[in-house]
Amino acid sequence: MDERIWVAGHRGMVGSAITRLFCSQGRNVITVDRSILDLRKQDEVEFWLRANKPTSIVFAAAKVGGIIANSTYPADFIYDNLTIQTNVIHGAHKAGVDRLVFLGSSCIYPKFAEQPIKESSLLTGPLEPTNEWYAIAKISGIMTCQAYRKQYGRRYVSVMPCNLYGPNDNFNLETSHVMPALMRKFHEAKVTSAKEVVVWGTGAPLREFLHVDDLARGVVWCHDNYDEYEHINCGAGFDVTIRELAETIARVVGFSGDIVFDVSKPDGTPRKIMDSSRIRALGWKPEISFDDGIASTYRWYLANIDAKNRAA
Ligand code: GFB
């Protein structure tokens, strides 16, 4: 049978990286725009699946956002994510699609999980309150895949990435994650000769950052080879404090003013580095260094976001 891989969420940072990689391998990816198919509409999803007959699905469609977006819009985060993932996973089963890769997030793990966090830490303690609605939706996604595997023998698997960054990220300061937010803040401070940049929280939390092209290689590998009940971690293997991240971005961007911490903003979870030894034992490892990844993402930002803003 000819391969037809549906990458759901192909316009996002993760989905676009996975689509690029599949296409570079000469593989047949099918996509559908949000304006054509609203994944929150069950009937439409099931109709589209019957009509387009993918042979496999990579589920990279999600309502995502940074720490403030997650805690400000909890209803959107839990409703959108639960609805779209349930429609796609259940619809895939009904349409006879036997293979699906579900993408989650390291925020599924308990706030005070033992570090580095093993896959087996799932559901062993309370979640981080700033993103528990998103986390509950993603945990439900893992278990939905497991349910269809257990009851129907479907080869549905789940991959958990750490914090990601790269081309096609969201650079909106209200809703973005920390990496694109700081890149934009430092860049704008440089071009306006501002004296300081405000960074949220204390600067003490640790985060594990992986370039999205490295994640894409892990996801494509799992699509082709991973077929286990348990979800699998996919992380960079090191973490940095938010202060170190801010200093690195300031250096790459060329901002030499002050970095000020706004402690009225939340820190979120203190640390969430994952134990990715299982996927490493299977042969995957990151290839893009932290400094190179930040530098190339900043070049992408200049060429795509800053250039667009200046033209507007
Ligand atoms: O990336 P981020 O929003 O999400 O924030 P999480 C990471 C850390 O960076 C927090 C700090 O301690 C923030 O307070 N930070 C500093 C900033 N300055 C900024 C800024 O200008 N913008 C942002 N956004 N943060 C998310 C979850 O948690 O991680 C999601 O909310 C998801 O559910 C995602 O799991 C990967 O790492 O705290």
Side-chain angles (χ1 to χ4, degrees), residues 65-67 70 105 107 131 134 163 176-178 181-182 185 199-200 205 207 242 266-267 272:
I67 190 164
N70 265 268
S105 159
C107 71
N131 57 33
Y134 179 74
N163 287 45
S176 66
H177 290 100
V178 62
L182 294 189
K185 285 183 186 177
V199 174
W200 296 350
R207 292 291 183 272
I242 297 302
D267 269 346
K272 49 176 171 179

Side-chain angles (χ1 to χ4, degrees), residues 135-242:
I136 287 285
K138 288 296 179 185
I139 294 169
S140 304
I142 296 172
M143 297 202 69
T144 307
C145 290
Q146 291 174 338
Y148 283 83
R149 175 181 286 269
K150 200 169 154 79
Q151 187 172 340
Y152 298 111
R154 291 295 184 203
R155 296 162 58 241
Y156 297 171
V157 297
S158 300
V159 179
M160 294 307 114
C162 61
N163 287 45
L164 301 167
Y165 70 97
N168 293 318
D169 208 342
N170 167 21
F171 287 84
N172 177 314
L173 294 179
E174 307 295 316
T175 56
S176 66
H177 290 100
V178 62
M179 177 81 83
L182 294 189
M183 204 167 272
R184 177 169 172 179
K185 285 183 186 177
F186 283 112
H187 172 73
E188 291 181 352
K190 182 181 81 167
V191 298
T192 59
S193 304
K195 297 222 163 3
E196 61 179 42
V197 163
V198 176
V199 174
W200 296 350
T202 62
L206 286 148
R207 292 291 183 272
E208 181 186 18
F209 293 99
L210 181 71
H211 192 282
V212 71
D213 287 341
D214 275 334
L215 173 78
R217 286 188 303 102
V219 171
V220 167
W221 189 89
C222 286
H223 171 274
D224 295 344
N225 302 290
Y226 185 71
D227 194 18
E228 288 180 30
Y229 182 83
E230 193 174 35
H231 62 284
I232 190 162
N233 290 344
C234 188
F238 68 93
D239 55 4
V240 296
T241 64
I242 297 302

